[in-house]
Amino acid sequence: MGRTGVAIDVTRHDVDSDVAHAELGGFTVSGAPVASVRSAMMGVMNDDAQTAITQVTEQEAELVLTTFTHDDAWRLGSRLTELAIERDLPVTVDIRKGTQQVFHAARPGTTPDNDSWVERKVRVVYRFGASSYLVGLKARAEGADFNATHDLSLQEYAAHGGAFPVRVAGVGIVGVVTVSGLAQQDDHALVVEALRELVAAQGPSSDRG
């Protein structure tokens, strides 16, 4: 069931006639063309994507720091690592301050491939000025292939959740904090959780929405 209240049931699919049984908004429509079912499913997906886009946009407006020193980066990275240990999460944690890598830790279960994911997601944040999750959500909501649309190599850019811009009030983006190893929404959520704690510890900022 999507947020629009549209439910899709494709369990009765007549492959010979290329029709399906669709249930839309509680009303059953038999013999609906598969194309119509797919269109309805895309509507649900787009609705969910728009909701997620709104939520992530609000997170980016909320999570603005008053300062971001090397010690702040250490605190943030240490907290992320602590959460990963407590929950036994196989993640790599990475923090950049400008172009400098100021924190990096890898938990059991990760591989060098996670480092590649980190690099690719970080590049998206620095190029587009938004979290890698938000950039990817917007592309999917538009039905676009992110890499093809922007003519960017898959080996260098990944609009996949987990990299979040570090913003400082009155300055803008000064770094990136990244998690790799979980489903993209979970990578993103872990970063948001730890960053929110750091924001709260620093106190209010006039730049927060």
Side-chain angles (χ1 to χ4, degrees):
M1 179 71 71
R3 294 184 182 275
T4 56
V6 178
I8 305 298
D9 177 9
V10 292
T11 56
R12 289 168 51 192
H13 181 203
D14 183 346
V15 294
D16 293 330
S17 60
D18 199 35
V19 297
H21 168 276
E23 183 176 271
L24 306 177
F27 295 94
T28 298
V29 182
S30 296
V34 167
S36 298
V37 174
R38 287 174 181 158
S39 178
M41 291 177 72
M42 285 302 296
V44 173
M45 291 169 62
N46 286 340
D47 182 63
D48 288 343
Q50 289 298 335
T51 299
I53 287 170
T54 298
Q55 292 174 339
V56 177
T57 300
E58 291 173 351
Q59 289 169 351
E60 293 198 21
E62 169 199 355
L63 301 177
V64 179
L65 300 169
T66 58
T67 184
F68 188 62
T69 65
H70 285 74
D71 287 339
D72 292 323
W74 178 263
R75 292 186 190 95
L76 179 58
S78 297
R79 180 54 179 155
L80 279 165
T81 305
E82 183 179 66
L83 290 171
I85 292 172
E86 289 174 357
R87 300 168 189 177
D88 195 24
L89 303 177
V91 297
T92 292
V93 176
D94 184 274
I95 299 179
R96 309 293 169 95
K97 187 176 188 294
T99 58
Q100 183 183 15
Q101 183 182 59
V102 291
F103 188 96
H104 190 87
R107 292 268 298 136
T110 59
T111 70
D113 190 51
N114 291 105
D115 294 332
S116 174
W117 275 102
V118 166
E119 294 294 340
R120 293 159 64 202
K121 292 193 279 190
V122 167
R123 289 191 187 102
V124 168
V125 175
Y126 276 137
R127 186 179 182 104
F128 294 91
S131 65
S132 55
Y133 193 32
L134 182 58
V135 174
L137 284 169
K138 287 182 175 180
R140 286 188 289 279
E142 295 169 358
D145 181 312
F146 166 77
N147 294 87
T149 298
H150 298 284
D151 193 25
L152 297 173
S153 169
L154 281 166
Q155 284 70 44
E156 294 186 358
Y157 291 86
H160 198 83
F164 199 99
V166 177
R167 289 187 172 89
V168 169
V171 179
I173 296 174
V174 298
V176 182
V177 51
T178 309
V179 166
S180 172
L182 309 174
Q184 63 169 331
Q185 65 271 20
D186 296 330
D187 281 344
H188 176 86
L190 189 62
V191 171
V192 167
E193 180 180 353
L195 191 53
R196 183 170 281 134
E197 289 183 11
L198 181 58
V199 168
Q202 289 191 352
S205 165
S206 60
D207 279 18
R208 291 172 200 152

